[in-house]
Amino acid sequence: EPHGSHSSNVYALPGKRAVVIKAIFPDQIGQVKINGEIWSARSVHNEHIGESSLVEVVYLRGAHVVVKEIKS
């Protein structure tokens, strides 16, 4: 049983879609919601991703996910 408050299988996270609920800035961690769970998130290219943007998880780094924006 992994420690922490996330029940999701962390190995299944890459490729999952998420919604940004707190904007991500180059020097500031934001937050995304994945399957109803809130994760701290950074952007893969160190860019700003606004609130409500749709993103995809690229990989997990420590306790946060690294995401890229899905351009509509």
Side-chain angles (χ1 to χ4, degrees), residues 4-70:
S5 59
H6 295 118
S7 59
S8 292
N9 179 351
V10 294
Y11 301 107
L13 285 173
K16 281 235 192 312
R17 292 189 166 200
V19 176
V20 177
I21 57 169
K22 182 182 173 197
I24 300 167
F25 292 95
D27 54 357
Q28 196 178 319
I29 290 179
Q31 290 181 328
V32 298
K33 191 176 262 194
I34 309 168
N35 293 343
E37 293 181 335
I38 296 170
W39 287 77
S40 296
R42 283 189 180 280
S43 63
V44 69
H45 299 301
N46 218 28
E47 62 195 351
H48 169 255
I49 302 178
E51 203 172 304
S52 302
S53 297
L54 188 63
V55 295
E56 182 180 308
V57 178
V58 183
Y59 60 90
L60 191 72
R61 184 195 283 158
H64 63 269
V65 292
V66 178
V67 301
K68 66 179 180 186
E69 190 169 3
I70 297 171

